Amino acid sequence: MAQQEAVYATDEYGRPFIILREQGRKTRSHGSHILAARTVANIIRTSLGPRGLDKILISPDGEITVTNDGATILGQMEVEHQIAKLLVQLSKSQDDEIGDGTTGVVVLAGALLEQSESLLDRGIHPIRIADGFDRACAVAVQQLDSISDRVEFSVENKENLLKTAITSLGSKIVSKEIRQFAQIAVDAVLTVADLERRDVPFDLIKVDGKVGGSLMDTTLIKGVLIDKDMSHPQMPSSVKDARLAILTCPFEPPRPKTKHKLDITSVEEYNKLRDYEKEKFGDMIKMVKDTGANLVICQWGFDDEANHLLMQHELPAVRWVGGPEIELIAIATHGRIVPRFEDLTQEKLGKAGIVREVTFGTTRDKMLVIEECANSRAVTIFVRGSNKMIVDEAKRALHDAICAVRNLVVDNRVVYGGGAADISCSIAVAKAADEIPSIEQYAMRSFAAALDAIPLALAENSGLSPIETLTAVKSRQVTEKSSRLGIDCSGKDENDMKKQFVYDPLISKRQQYLLATQLVRAVLKIDDVIVAGEADE
């Protein structure tokens, strides 16, 4: 007779209570962990792929975000459960490391946890399951390496990079202008990339946005764009052959650092003070003019008197330019940031071909564009859109596309999307599982089944019959020995992902598998949650 899981008993006062077996409680706690993680994964699942749906996120102060970027959705969700928080961190680490594939990694982790639940119910030890998953992951990563193709690209031949960027943008809100956005992402990366070292310095790419216009008006500016205008309306709106003095000191007379109080008892003293201030302003402007500068970029503000004197001396100025923007201007123009007027020399000036004000629509909003910079590698992507929500989502979409292109510059191997790589790895892992004599083969088969979750979700989100579509593609992959066959999400009657140009960078896919497996191992090792300061439940 099977042992009872729970026993009903009463104490000496006749109060009833239930005695549970310790092992039974642990199994249940695994179940609650897995349920929490699966719930989070199911929320994200419908956002996967080119036909994936968006989510509206409302912040505590009522701000609305519409997105289908996995990392953004999870980052803004108020997740209470401890294990579910691990999934949030999982998508963040994929975003930080790779920048794309944040939805896929959470869907895969959720599927692995779902599979591990049935293995736990069979009585297989959690660590044996985790070991089996690790072996399966090694097989899958090896299979990815063997099915990957190298794609050639250069500054002249960008077609393969464009196809990767288009794949990344396919599921985003900007898919209407997909070719234009892909071109912008590729041009931005190739402008700043060091192809010899295979390095892309992201700090040279600035993404800025302004509401107004349509997505079509989004442009790539070879230079720096700052949301400021000239400090005086009568200053020239464009400066050619600009030599920039980049200052972090304010245009005001020196004053003691400590607290001070100035008593003025007569008109003469007041006039003296005013003359002193005017003289100091004059000296400052003379120091700047003597170096040959014809434009001042200042981190601090200056009062009307300083503004008027700058105008009189025909020295255009921009005030209240933030720290990150000042740094970007200095990098772009090869200028030095100067903390004191006395330190300003001709060698420390930045150089740019033209600095001009740009006006938008009827709002009289102005922005400054610094073009033809000494360092030609600095670029700004200027996003336009009909509302703030679209501008923000377009920025996120561009970030993902830029990351996908950057991944190809770092490692130019690709696997094919549309679930093709996942199905191929699933077949390879299932085949390897049959050759393993130990109990890990059950975990390896479950890993193979979990890999099918991505093509299943793609088929489901595209309105296809998930299981029929997957089995048809899987059998074709085995019979035709082609790892390029995937789910036809776009309804083009073509399952060959190479012909559909659906490319995924290899490092992105490999990172998804490794991160998801590590997370599942961590969750399987947890059997109890003890909250500090509270009694053990």
Side-chain angles (χ1 to χ4, degrees), residues 55-108:
K55 306 269 182 268
I56 283 192
L57 303 163
I58 303 170
S59 67
D61 55 357
E63 198 172 307
I64 290 177
T65 308
V66 176
T67 182
N68 71 354
D69 178 49
T72 310
I73 295 169
L74 288 178
Q76 294 200 12
M77 268 167 55
E78 290 286 327
V79 179
E80 286 292 320
H81 197 279
Q82 299 81 3
I83 305 298
K85 278 180 181 166
L86 292 178
L87 275 183
V88 176
Q89 288 161 9
L90 169 75
S91 74
K92 189 177 185 316
S93 59
Q94 174 79 9
D95 198 32
D96 293 347
E97 186 66 25
I98 301 295
D100 197 13
T102 49
T103 310
V105 72
V106 176
V107 171
L108 179 59

Side-chain angles (χ1 to χ4, degrees), residues 214-225:
S214 71
L215 287 170
M216 278 175 70
D217 302 328
T218 299
T219 50
L220 177 70
I221 297 165
K222 298 281 177 76
V224 181
L225 181 83

Side-chain angles (χ1 to χ4, degrees), residues 117-133:
E117 193 172 21
S118 61
L119 294 173
L120 286 167
D121 290 345
R122 286 183 180 183
I124 300 173
H125 194 275
I127 302 299
R128 300 300 293 271
I129 298 171
D131 290 343
F133 281 173

Side-chain angles (χ1 to χ4, degrees), residues 90-328:
L90 169 75
S91 74
K92 189 177 185 316
S93 59
Q94 174 79 9
D95 198 32
D96 293 347
E97 186 66 25
I98 301 295
D100 197 13
T102 49
T103 310
V105 72
V106 176
V107 171
L108 179 59
L112 282 169
L113 288 167
E114 203 168 324
Q115 292 293 332
S116 58
E117 193 172 21
S118 61
L119 294 173
L120 286 167
D121 290 345
R122 286 183 180 183
I124 300 173
H125 194 275
I127 302 299
R128 300 300 293 271
I129 298 171
D131 290 343
F133 281 173
D134 282 346
R135 284 179 81 163
C137 184
V139 173
V141 168
Q142 198 178 345
Q143 175 70 3
L144 280 177
D145 285 342
S146 66
I147 64 173
S148 64
D149 283 351
R150 281 198 182 278
V151 294
E152 297 310 319
F153 65 88
S154 64
V155 177
E156 291 76 37
N157 176 23
K158 309 172 184 172
E159 200 51 41
N160 285 322
L161 294 178
L162 271 172
K163 287 165 188 168
T164 307
I166 286 172
T167 304
S168 172
L169 290 167
S171 60
K172 306 286 189 255
I173 204 166
V174 300
S175 52
K176 188 164 164 280
E177 308 296 339
I178 194 164
R179 186 87 195 179
Q180 180 189 345
F181 271 75
Q183 188 73 54
I184 287 172
V186 171
D187 288 348
V189 170
L190 287 180
T191 305
V192 305
D194 183 342
L195 294 178
E196 283 176 20
R197 284 176 50 223
R198 291 185 167 272
D199 181 36
V200 180
F202 268 3
D203 52 354
L204 291 177
I205 303 175
K206 183 183 177 210
V207 182
D208 214 336
K210 201 165 189 68
V211 173
S214 71
L215 287 170
M216 278 175 70
D217 302 328
T218 299
T219 50
L220 177 70
I221 297 165
K222 298 281 177 76
V224 181
L225 181 83
I226 54 171
D227 194 2
K228 295 281 177 266
D229 55 357
M230 297 295 183
S231 61
H232 196 293
Q234 287 178 304
M235 284 178 179
S237 58
S238 76
V239 179
K240 285 187 177 166
D241 192 22
R243 291 179 300 286
L244 293 83
I246 305 167
L247 305 172
T248 55
C249 45
F251 259 101
E252 55 184 38
R255 53 166 68 121
K257 291 257 187 308
T258 53
K259 275 191 175 180
H260 65 282
K261 188 175 157 202
L262 196 62
D263 286 333
I264 295 172
T265 53
S266 66
V267 176
E268 290 78 26
E269 282 180 3
Y270 178 77
N271 287 335
K272 231 166 141 183
L273 179 66
R274 199 184 66 178
D275 293 342
Y276 165 76
E277 283 194 357
K278 198 170 177 183
E279 185 192 334
K280 279 293 173 191
F281 278 137
D283 290 349
M284 288 173 186
I285 292 168
K286 187 173 181 301
M287 282 181 205
V288 175
K289 292 281 276 190
D290 286 351
T291 61
N294 57 4
L295 178 64
V296 177
I297 305 282
C298 187
Q299 188 173 6
W300 302 102
F302 32 81
D303 61 19
D304 291 344
E305 190 174 355
N307 208 1
H308 170 70
L309 285 167
L310 284 164
M311 170 68 204
Q312 259 189 345
H313 288 83
E314 294 176 356
L315 187 61
V318 185
R319 55 185 167 187
W320 298 121
V321 180
E325 290 172 330
I326 278 238
E327 286 170 21
L328 195 61

Side-chain angles (χ1 to χ4, degrees), residues 312-349:
Q312 259 189 345
H313 288 83
E314 294 176 356
L315 187 61
V318 185
R319 55 185 167 187
W320 298 121
V321 180
E325 290 172 330
I326 278 238
E327 286 170 21
L328 195 61
I329 292 169
I331 293 168
T333 59
H334 282 322
R336 294 279 293 278
I337 298 172
V338 180
R340 286 167 45 194
F341 285 97
E342 290 79 9
D343 298 343
L344 195 61
T345 60
Q346 194 170 350
E347 295 75 48
K348 292 180 181 175
L349 298 181

